Amino acid sequence: MTPAPLLAAGIATDIAAEGKSAAVTDWAARVGWLVGLLMFIALVYWLMREGWKWRATLQGDLPELPDAPEEPGPATLTMTGRYHGSTTAGQWLDRIVARGLGTRSRAELTLTDEGLDVVRPGADDFFVPAARLRGARLDKGIAGKVLTEGGLLVVTWEHGDRLIDSGFRSDRAAEHTEWVEALNSMIEKNTTEGAER
């Protein structure tokens, strides 16, 4: 007899001698672990949601966002892409969630002589008056979103007593440099005109 049939015969003999079959899966224990895991995931989600609401409460002093003027003038530049969030200027992890600024969404940006109009389908639109713009730069990350170097257009603006960085990514990333130049040129022009008055 070959070794394999001998081995199989030996195992069959051992099982018959013990008089019982192989252990059956303990479904109660598995279901218990699964329920425990689902409860843990629900707890983590609830804690994250409470943290988000707590942050919004702490930022409750942020004034209402300005609406776009009825006659904003001709568009200097337009862009479609994504809005990735806003943070306290210079602190790329200090996310601002009050007034809907924490909601990521699609975005359509229009730059006019009056300022920057941000239209967000599914979220609150906002407008940054030209006099409130403080700077623009290319960066790689903002509040939980990290891209390649220069993959994010970051616009710094003043709202109430806060300086805010808002991050945008165009559908055509090559546009970012043009936007930085146009925004910084507008800011420099407004600053010069303000100093002359």
Coordinates of all heavy atoms in Angstrom, one line a residue, residues 23-110:
A23 N -14.5 19.7 14.9 CA -15.2 20.8 15.5 C -16.0 21.6 14.5 O -15.5 21.9 13.4 CB -14.2 21.7 16.3
V24 N -17.2 22.0 14.9 CA -18.0 22.8 14.0 C -17.7 24.3 14.4 O -17.5 24.6 15.5 CB -19.5 22.5 14.3 CG1 -20.4 23.4 13.4 CG2 -19.7 21.0 14.0
T25 N -17.8 25.2 13.3 CA -17.6 26.6 13.6 C -18.5 27.1 14.6 O -19.7 26.9 14.5 CB -17.7 27.4 12.2 OG1 -16.8 26.8 11.3 CG2 -17.5 28.8 12.4
D26 N -18.0 27.9 15.5 CA -18.8 28.5 16.6 C -19.4 29.9 16.0 O -18.8 30.9 16.1 CB -18.0 28.8 17.8 CG -18.8 29.3 19.0 OD1 -20.0 29.5 18.8 OD2 -18.2 29.7 20.0
W27 N -20.6 29.7 15.4 CA -21.2 30.9 14.8 C -21.6 32.0 15.8 O -21.5 33.2 15.5 CB -22.5 30.5 14.0 CG -22.1 29.8 12.8 CD1 -22.2 28.4 12.5 CD2 -21.5 30.3 11.6 NE1 -21.7 28.1 11.3 CE2 -21.2 29.3 10.7 CE3 -21.1 31.6 11.2 CZ2 -20.7 29.5 9.4 CZ3 -20.5 31.8 10.0 CH2 -20.3 30.7 9.1
A28 N -21.9 31.7 17.0 CA -22.3 32.7 18.0 C -21.1 33.6 18.3 O -21.2 34.8 18.4 CB -22.8 32.0 19.3
A29 N -19.9 33.0 18.4 CA -18.7 33.8 18.7 C -18.4 34.7 17.5 O -18.1 35.9 17.6 CB -17.5 32.9 19.0
R30 N -18.5 34.2 16.3 CA -18.2 35.0 15.1 C -19.2 36.1 14.9 O -18.8 37.3 14.6 CB -18.3 34.1 13.8 CG -17.1 33.2 13.7 CD -16.9 32.6 12.4 NE -15.8 31.7 12.4 CZ -15.0 31.5 11.3 NH1 -15.3 32.1 10.2 NH2 -14.0 30.7 11.4
V31 N -20.5 35.9 15.2 CA -21.5 36.9 15.1 C -21.2 38.0 16.2 O -21.3 39.2 16.0 CB -22.9 36.3 15.2 CG1 -24.0 37.4 15.4 CG2 -23.3 35.5 14.0
G32 N -20.9 37.5 17.4 CA -20.5 38.4 18.5 C -19.4 39.4 18.1 O -19.4 40.6 18.3
W33 N -18.3 38.8 17.5 CA -17.2 39.6 17.0 C -17.6 40.6 16.0 O -17.2 41.8 16.0 CB -16.1 38.7 16.5 CG -15.2 38.2 17.6 CD1 -15.1 37.0 18.1 CD2 -14.2 39.0 18.3 NE1 -14.2 36.9 19.1 CE2 -13.6 38.1 19.2 CE3 -13.7 40.3 18.2 CZ2 -12.6 38.5 20.1 CZ3 -12.7 40.7 19.1 CH2 -12.2 39.8 20.0
L34 N -18.4 40.2 15.1 CA -18.9 41.1 14.0 C -19.7 42.2 14.5 O -19.6 43.4 14.2 CB -19.7 40.2 13.0 CG -20.2 41.0 11.7 CD1 -19.1 41.6 10.9 CD2 -21.1 40.1 10.9
V35 N -20.7 41.9 15.5 CA -21.5 43.0 16.1 C -20.6 43.9 16.8 O -20.7 45.1 16.8 CB -22.6 42.3 17.0 CG1 -23.2 43.4 17.9 CG2 -23.6 41.6 16.2
G36 N -19.6 43.4 17.6 CA -18.7 44.3 18.3 C -17.9 45.2 17.4 O -17.7 46.4 17.7
L37 N -17.4 44.6 16.2 CA -16.7 45.5 15.3 C -17.6 46.6 14.7 O -17.2 47.7 14.6 CB -16.2 44.6 14.1 CG -15.4 45.3 13.0 CD1 -14.1 45.9 13.6 CD2 -15.1 44.3 11.9
L38 N -18.8 46.2 14.4 CA -19.8 47.2 13.8 C -20.0 48.3 14.9 O -20.1 49.5 14.5 CB -21.0 46.6 13.4 CG -20.9 45.7 12.1 CD1 -22.2 45.0 11.8 CD2 -20.5 46.5 10.9
M39 N -20.2 47.9 16.1 CA -20.4 48.9 17.2 C -19.2 49.8 17.3 O -19.3 51.0 17.5 CB -20.7 48.2 18.5 CG -22.1 47.6 18.5 SD -22.5 46.7 20.0 CE -22.5 48.0 21.2
F40 N -18.0 49.3 17.2 CA -16.8 50.1 17.3 C -16.7 51.1 16.2 O -16.4 52.3 16.4 CB -15.5 49.2 17.3 CG -14.2 49.9 17.3 CD1 -13.8 50.6 18.5 CD2 -13.5 50.0 16.2 CE1 -12.6 51.3 18.5 CE2 -12.3 50.7 16.1 CZ -11.8 51.3 17.3
I41 N -17.0 50.7 14.9 CA -17.0 51.5 13.8 C -18.0 52.7 14.0 O -17.8 53.8 13.7 CB -17.2 50.8 12.5 CG1 -16.0 49.9 12.2 CG2 -17.5 51.7 11.3 CD1 -16.2 48.9 11.1
A42 N -19.2 52.3 14.5 CA -20.2 53.3 14.7 C -19.8 54.3 15.8 O -20.0 55.5 15.6 CB -21.5 52.6 15.1
L43 N -19.1 53.9 16.8 CA -18.6 54.7 17.9 C -17.6 55.7 17.3 O -17.6 56.9 17.6 CB -18.0 53.9 19.0 CG -17.3 54.8 20.1 CD1 -18.3 55.6 20.8 CD2 -16.5 53.8 21.0
V44 N -16.6 55.2 16.5 CA -15.6 56.1 15.9 C -16.3 57.1 15.0 O -15.9 58.3 15.0 CB -14.6 55.2 15.1 CG1 -13.7 56.1 14.2 CG2 -13.8 54.4 16.0
Y45 N -17.3 56.7 14.2 CA -18.0 57.7 13.3 C -18.7 58.7 14.1 O -18.6 59.9 13.8 CB -19.0 56.9 12.4 CG -19.8 57.8 11.6 CD1 -19.3 58.4 10.4 CD2 -21.1 58.1 11.9 CE1 -20.0 59.3 9.7 CE2 -21.9 59.0 11.2 CZ -21.3 59.5 10.0 OH -22.1 60.4 9.3
W46 N -19.3 58.3 15.2 CA -20.1 59.3 16.1 C -19.1 60.3 16.7 O -19.4 61.5 16.8 CB -20.8 58.5 17.2 CG -21.6 59.4 18.1 CD1 -22.8 60.0 17.9 CD2 -21.2 59.8 19.4 NE1 -23.2 60.7 19.0 CE2 -22.2 60.6 19.9 CE3 -20.1 59.5 20.2 CZ2 -22.1 61.2 21.2 CZ3 -20.0 60.0 21.5 CH2 -21.0 60.9 21.9
L47 N -17.9 59.8 17.2 CA -16.9 60.7 17.8 C -16.4 61.7 16.8 O -16.2 62.8 17.1 CB -15.8 59.9 18.4 CG -16.1 59.1 19.6 CD1 -14.9 58.2 20.0 CD2 -16.5 60.0 20.8
M48 N -16.2 61.2 15.5 CA -15.7 62.2 14.5 C -16.8 63.2 14.2 O -16.5 64.4 14.1 CB -15.4 61.4 13.2 CG -14.1 60.6 13.3 SD -13.5 59.7 11.8 CE -14.9 59.7 10.7
R49 N -18.0 62.8 14.2 CA -19.1 63.7 13.9 C -19.3 64.8 15.0 O -19.4 66.0 14.8 CB -20.4 63.0 13.7 CG -21.6 63.8 13.3 CD -22.8 62.9 12.9 NE -23.9 63.7 12.4 CZ -24.9 64.1 13.2 NH1 -24.9 63.7 14.5 NH2 -25.9 64.8 12.7
E50 N -19.1 64.3 16.3 CA -19.2 65.2 17.4 C -18.0 66.2 17.4 O -18.2 67.3 17.8 CB -19.2 64.4 18.7 CG -20.5 63.7 19.0 CD -21.7 64.6 19.0 OE1 -21.7 65.5 19.8 OE2 -22.7 64.3 18.3
G51 N -16.8 65.7 17.0 CA -15.7 66.6 16.9 C -15.9 67.7 15.9 O -15.5 68.8 16.1
W52 N -16.5 67.3 14.8 CA -16.8 68.2 13.7 C -17.8 69.3 14.2 O -17.6 70.5 14.0 CB -17.4 67.5 12.5 CG -17.6 68.3 11.3 CD1 -18.7 69.0 10.9 CD2 -16.7 68.4 10.2 NE1 -18.5 69.6 9.7 CE2 -17.3 69.2 9.2 CE3 -15.4 67.9 10.0 CZ2 -16.6 69.6 8.0 CZ3 -14.8 68.3 8.8 CH2 -15.4 69.1 7.8
K53 N -18.8 68.9 14.9 CA -19.8 69.8 15.5 C -19.2 70.7 16.6 O -19.5 71.9 16.6 CB -21.0 69.1 16.1 CG -21.9 68.5 15.0 CD -23.0 67.5 15.4 CE -23.6 67.6 16.7 NZ -24.6 66.7 17.0
W54 N -18.3 70.1 17.4 CA -17.6 70.9 18.4 C -16.7 72.0 17.8 O -16.7 73.1 18.2 CB -16.8 70.0 19.3 CG -15.9 70.7 20.3 CD1 -16.4 71.2 21.4 CD2 -14.5 70.8 20.3 NE1 -15.3 71.8 22.1 CE2 -14.1 71.5 21.4 CE3 -13.5 70.4 19.4 CZ2 -12.8 71.8 21.7 CZ3 -12.2 70.7 19.6 CH2 -11.9 71.4 20.8
R55 N -16.0 71.6 16.7 CA -15.2 72.6 16.0 C -16.0 73.7 15.4 O -15.7 74.9 15.4 CB -14.4 71.9 14.9 CG -13.4 72.8 14.1 CD -12.6 72.0 13.2 NE -11.5 71.3 13.8 CZ -10.3 71.8 14.0 NH1 -10.0 73.0 13.6 NH2 -9.4 71.1 14.6
A56 N -17.2 73.4 14.8 CA -18.1 74.4 14.3 C -18.6 75.3 15.4 O -18.7 76.6 15.2 CB -19.3 73.8 13.6
T57 N -18.8 74.8 16.6 CA -19.2 75.6 17.7 C -18.1 76.6 18.1 O -18.4 77.8 18.4 CB -19.6 74.7 18.9 OG1 -20.7 73.9 18.5 CG2 -20.1 75.6 20.1
L58 N -16.9 76.1 18.2 CA -15.8 76.9 18.5 C -15.6 78.1 17.5 O -15.1 79.1 17.9 CB -14.5 76.1 18.6 CG -14.3 75.2 19.8 CD1 -13.0 74.4 19.7 CD2 -14.4 75.9 21.1
Q59 N -15.9 77.8 16.3 CA -15.7 78.8 15.2 C -17.0 79.6 15.0 O -17.2 80.2 13.9 CB -15.3 78.1 13.9 CG -13.9 77.4 14.1 CD -13.6 76.5 12.9 OE1 -14.4 76.2 12.1 NE2 -12.4 76.0 12.9
G60 N -17.9 79.5 15.9 CA -19.2 80.2 15.7 C -19.2 81.7 15.6 O -20.1 82.3 15.2
D61 N -18.0 82.3 16.0 CA -17.9 83.8 15.9 C -17.6 84.2 14.4 O -17.5 85.4 14.2 CB -16.8 84.3 16.8 CG -15.4 83.7 16.5 OD1 -15.4 82.6 15.9 OD2 -14.4 84.4 16.8
L62 N -17.4 83.3 13.5 CA -17.1 83.6 12.1 C -18.3 84.2 11.5 O -19.4 83.6 11.5 CB -16.7 82.3 11.3 CG -16.1 82.6 10.0 CD1 -14.7 83.2 10.1 CD2 -15.9 81.2 9.3
P63 N -18.2 85.4 10.9 CA -19.4 86.1 10.4 C -20.0 85.3 9.1 O -19.3 84.5 8.6 CB -18.9 87.5 9.9 CG -17.5 87.6 10.5 CD -17.0 86.3 10.8
E64 N -21.2 85.7 8.8 CA -21.8 85.1 7.6 C -20.9 85.4 6.4 O -20.2 86.5 6.3 CB -23.2 85.8 7.3 CG -24.2 85.3 8.3 CD -24.7 83.9 8.1 OE1 -24.5 83.3 7.0 OE2 -25.1 83.3 9.1
L65 N -20.9 84.5 5.4 CA -20.1 84.7 4.2 C -20.8 85.7 3.3 O -22.0 85.6 3.1 CB -19.9 83.3 3.5 CG -19.1 82.3 4.3 CD1 -19.2 81.0 3.6 CD2 -17.7 82.7 4.6
P66 N -20.0 86.6 2.7 CA -20.6 87.5 1.8 C -21.2 86.9 0.5 O -20.7 85.9 0.0 CB -19.5 88.5 1.4 CG -18.2 87.9 1.9 CD -18.6 86.7 2.8
D67 N -22.3 87.5 0.0 CA -22.8 87.0 -1.3 C -22.2 87.8 -2.4 O -21.7 89.0 -2.2 CB -24.4 87.3 -1.3 CG -25.1 86.4 -0.3 OD1 -24.6 85.2 -0.1 OD2 -26.0 86.9 0.4
A68 N -22.3 87.2 -3.6 CA -21.7 87.9 -4.8 C -22.6 89.1 -5.1 O -23.8 89.1 -4.9 CB -21.7 86.9 -5.9
P69 N -22.0 90.2 -5.6 CA -22.8 91.4 -6.0 C -23.6 91.0 -7.2 O -23.3 90.1 -8.0 CB -21.7 92.4 -6.4 CG -20.5 91.7 -6.6 CD -20.6 90.4 -5.8
E70 N -24.7 91.7 -7.4 CA -25.6 91.5 -8.6 C -24.9 91.7 -9.9 O -25.1 91.0 -10.9 CB -26.9 92.3 -8.5 CG -27.8 91.8 -7.3 CD -29.1 92.6 -7.3 OE1 -29.5 93.2 -8.3 OE2 -29.7 92.6 -6.2
E71 N -24.0 92.7 -9.9 CA -23.3 93.1 -11.1 C -21.8 92.9 -10.8 O -21.1 93.9 -10.5 CB -23.6 94.5 -11.6 CG -25.0 94.7 -12.0 CD -25.4 93.9 -13.3 OE1 -24.5 93.7 -14.1 OE2 -26.5 93.5 -13.4
P72 N -21.2 91.7 -10.9 CA -19.8 91.5 -10.6 C -18.9 92.0 -11.6 O -17.7 92.1 -11.4 CB -19.7 90.0 -10.4 CG -20.8 89.4 -11.3 CD -21.9 90.4 -11.2
G73 N -19.4 92.3 -12.8 CA -18.5 92.8 -13.9 C -18.0 91.6 -14.7 O -18.3 90.4 -14.4
P74 N -17.2 91.9 -15.8 CA -16.8 90.8 -16.7 C -15.7 89.9 -16.0 O -15.0 90.4 -15.1 CB -16.1 91.6 -17.8 CG -15.8 92.9 -17.3 CD -16.8 93.2 -16.2
A75 N -15.8 88.7 -16.4 CA -14.8 87.7 -15.8 C -13.4 87.9 -16.3 O -13.2 87.9 -17.5 CB -15.3 86.3 -16.1
T76 N -12.5 87.9 -15.4 CA -11.1 88.0 -15.8 C -10.6 86.5 -16.0 O -9.9 86.3 -17.0 CB -10.2 88.6 -14.7 OG1 -10.8 89.9 -14.3 CG2 -8.8 88.7 -15.1
L77 N -10.9 85.6 -15.1 CA -10.6 84.2 -15.2 C -11.8 83.4 -14.7 O -12.5 83.8 -13.8 CB -9.4 83.9 -14.4 CG -8.0 84.3 -14.9 CD1 -7.0 84.0 -13.8 CD2 -7.6 83.6 -16.1
T78 N -11.9 82.2 -15.3 CA -12.9 81.2 -14.7 C -12.2 79.9 -14.6 O -11.2 79.6 -15.3 CB -14.1 81.1 -15.7 OG1 -13.7 80.6 -16.9 CG2 -14.9 82.4 -15.8
M79 N -12.7 79.1 -13.7 CA -12.1 77.8 -13.5 C -13.1 76.8 -12.9 O -14.0 77.2 -12.1 CB -10.9 77.9 -12.5 CG -10.3 76.6 -12.1 SD -8.8 76.9 -11.0 CE -9.6 76.9 -9.4
T80 N -13.1 75.6 -13.3 CA -13.9 74.5 -12.7 C -13.0 73.5 -12.0 O -11.9 73.3 -12.5 CB -14.8 73.8 -13.7 OG1 -14.0 73.2 -14.7 CG2 -15.8 74.7 -14.4
G81 N -13.4 73.0 -10.9 CA -12.5 72.0 -10.2 C -13.2 71.6 -8.9 O -14.4 71.4 -8.8
R82 N -12.3 71.5 -7.9 CA -12.8 71.0 -6.6 C -12.3 72.0 -5.5 O -11.3 72.6 -5.6 CB -12.2 69.7 -6.3 CG -12.8 68.6 -7.2 CD -12.8 67.2 -6.5 NE -13.5 67.1 -5.3 CZ -14.8 66.9 -5.1 NH1 -15.6 66.9 -6.1 NH2 -15.3 66.7 -3.9
Y83 N -13.2 72.2 -4.6 CA -12.9 73.0 -3.4 C -12.6 72.0 -2.3 O -13.3 71.1 -2.0 CB -14.2 73.8 -2.9 CG -14.1 74.4 -1.6 CD1 -13.3 75.5 -1.3 CD2 -14.7 73.9 -0.5 CE1 -13.2 76.1 -0.1 CE2 -14.7 74.4 0.8 CZ -13.9 75.5 1.0 OH -13.8 76.1 2.2
H84 N -11.4 72.1 -1.7 CA -10.9 71.1 -0.8 C -11.0 71.5 0.7 O -10.6 70.7 1.6 CB -9.4 70.7 -1.1 CG -9.4 69.8 -2.3 ND1 -9.8 68.5 -2.3 CD2 -8.9 70.0 -3.6 CE1 -9.7 68.0 -3.5 NE2 -9.1 68.9 -4.3
G85 N -11.4 72.7 0.9 CA -11.6 73.2 2.3 C -10.8 74.4 2.6 O -10.1 75.0 1.8
S86 N -11.0 74.9 3.8 CA -10.4 76.2 4.3 C -9.8 75.9 5.7 O -10.3 75.1 6.4 CB -11.4 77.3 4.4 OG -11.9 77.7 3.1
T87 N -8.7 76.6 5.9 CA -8.0 76.5 7.2 C -7.6 77.9 7.7 O -7.7 78.9 6.9 CB -6.7 75.7 7.1 OG1 -5.8 76.3 6.2 CG2 -7.0 74.3 6.6
T88 N -7.2 78.0 8.9 CA -6.6 79.2 9.4 C -5.3 79.5 8.6 O -4.5 78.5 8.4 CB -6.3 79.1 10.9 OG1 -7.5 78.8 11.6 CG2 -5.7 80.4 11.4
A89 N -5.1 80.7 8.1 CA -4.0 81.0 7.3 C -2.7 80.6 7.9 O -2.4 80.9 9.1 CB -3.9 82.4 6.9
G90 N -1.8 79.8 7.2 CA -0.5 79.4 7.7 C -0.6 78.2 8.5 O 0.5 77.6 8.9
Q91 N -1.7 77.6 8.8 CA -1.9 76.4 9.6 C -2.7 75.4 8.8 O -3.9 75.3 9.0 CB -2.5 76.8 11.0 CG -1.7 77.7 11.8 CD -2.4 78.1 13.1 OE1 -3.3 77.3 13.6 NE2 -2.1 79.3 13.6
W92 N -2.1 74.7 8.0 CA -2.7 73.9 7.0 C -3.6 72.7 7.6 O -4.3 72.1 6.9 CB -1.8 73.4 5.9 CG -0.8 72.3 6.3 CD1 0.3 72.5 7.1 CD2 -0.9 70.9 6.0 NE1 0.9 71.3 7.3 CE2 0.2 70.3 6.6 CE3 -1.7 70.2 5.2 CZ2 0.5 69.0 6.5 CZ3 -1.5 68.8 5.1 CH2 -0.4 68.2 5.7
L93 N -3.4 72.4 8.9 CA -4.2 71.4 9.5 C -5.4 71.9 10.3 O -6.2 71.1 10.8 CB -3.3 70.5 10.3 CG -2.4 69.6 9.5 CD1 -1.5 68.8 10.4 CD2 -3.1 68.7 8.6
D94 N -5.4 73.2 10.6 CA -6.5 73.8 11.4 C -7.7 74.1 10.5 O -8.0 75.3 10.1 CB -5.9 75.1 12.1 CG -6.9 75.7 13.1 OD1 -7.9 74.9 13.5 OD2 -6.8 76.8 13.4
R95 N -8.5 73.1 10.2 CA -9.6 73.2 9.3 C -10.7 74.1 9.9 O -11.0 74.1 11.1 CB -10.2 71.8 9.1 CG -11.4 71.8 8.1 CD -12.1 70.5 8.1 NE -11.3 69.5 7.5 CZ -11.2 69.1 6.2 NH1 -11.9 69.8 5.4 NH2 -10.4 68.1 5.9
I96 N -11.3 74.9 9.0 CA -12.4 75.8 9.4 C -13.7 75.1 8.8 O -13.8 74.8 7.6 CB -12.3 77.2 8.8 CG1 -11.1 77.9 9.5 CG2 -13.6 78.0 9.0 CD1 -10.8 79.3 9.0
V97 N -14.6 74.8 9.7 CA -15.8 74.1 9.3 C -17.1 75.0 9.4 O -18.1 74.6 8.9 CB -16.0 72.8 10.1 CG1 -14.9 71.9 9.9 CG2 -16.3 73.0 11.6
A98 N -17.0 76.1 10.1 CA -18.2 77.0 10.3 C -18.6 77.6 9.0 O -17.8 77.7 8.1 CB -17.8 78.1 11.3
R99 N -19.9 77.9 8.9 CA -20.4 78.5 7.7 C -20.3 77.7 6.4 O -20.2 78.2 5.3 CB -19.8 79.9 7.4 CG -19.9 80.9 8.6 CD -21.3 81.2 8.9 NE -21.3 82.2 10.1 CZ -22.3 82.2 10.9 NH1 -23.3 81.4 10.8 NH2 -22.2 83.1 12.0
G100 N -20.1 76.4 6.6 CA -20.1 75.5 5.4 C -18.7 75.5 4.7 O -18.5 74.8 3.7
L101 N -17.7 76.1 5.3 CA -16.4 76.1 4.7 C -15.6 74.8 4.8 O -14.7 74.6 4.1 CB -15.5 77.3 5.3 CG -15.9 78.7 4.9 CD1 -15.1 79.7 5.7 CD2 -15.8 78.9 3.4
G102 N -16.1 73.9 5.6 CA -15.5 72.6 5.8 C -16.0 71.6 4.8 O -15.5 70.5 4.7
T103 N -17.0 71.9 4.0 CA -17.6 71.0 3.1 C -16.9 70.9 1.8 O -16.8 71.9 1.1 CB -19.1 71.3 2.8 OG1 -19.8 71.4 4.1 CG2 -19.8 70.3 2.0
R104 N -16.3 69.8 1.5 CA -15.6 69.6 0.2 C -16.7 69.5 -0.9 O -17.7 68.9 -0.7 CB -14.7 68.4 0.2 CG -13.5 68.6 1.1 CD -12.6 67.4 1.0 NE -11.5 67.6 1.8 CZ -10.6 66.7 2.1 NH1 -10.8 65.4 1.7 NH2 -9.6 66.9 2.9
S105 N -16.4 70.0 -2.1 CA -17.4 70.0 -3.1 C -16.7 70.3 -4.5 O -15.6 70.8 -4.5 CB -18.5 71.0 -2.8 OG -17.9 72.3 -2.8
R106 N -17.5 70.2 -5.5 CA -17.2 70.7 -6.8 C -17.2 72.2 -6.7 O -17.9 72.8 -5.8 CB -18.1 70.3 -7.9 CG -18.1 68.8 -8.3 CD -16.9 68.4 -9.1 NE -16.8 69.2 -10.4 CZ -15.7 69.3 -11.1 NH1 -14.6 68.7 -10.7 NH2 -15.7 70.0 -12.2
A107 N -16.5 73.0 -7.5 CA -16.5 74.4 -7.4 C -16.3 75.0 -8.8 O -15.6 74.5 -9.7 CB -15.4 74.9 -6.5
E108 N -16.9 76.2 -9.0 CA -16.7 77.0 -10.2 C -16.2 78.4 -9.7 O -17.0 79.0 -8.9 CB -18.0 77.1 -11.0 CG -18.5 75.8 -11.5 CD -20.0 75.9 -12.0 OE1 -20.5 77.1 -12.1 OE2 -20.5 74.9 -12.3
L109 N -15.0 78.7 -10.0 CA -14.5 80.0 -9.6 C -14.5 81.0 -10.7 O -14.2 80.7 -11.9 CB -13.0 79.8 -9.2 CG -12.7 79.3 -7.8 CD1 -13.2 77.9 -7.6 CD2 -11.3 79.4 -7.5
T110 N -14.9 82.2 -10.4 CA -14.9 83.3 -11.3 C -14.2 84.5 -10.7 O -14.6 85.0 -9.6 CB -16.3 83.7 -11.7 OG1 -17.0 82.6 -12.2 CG2 -16.3 84.8 -12.8

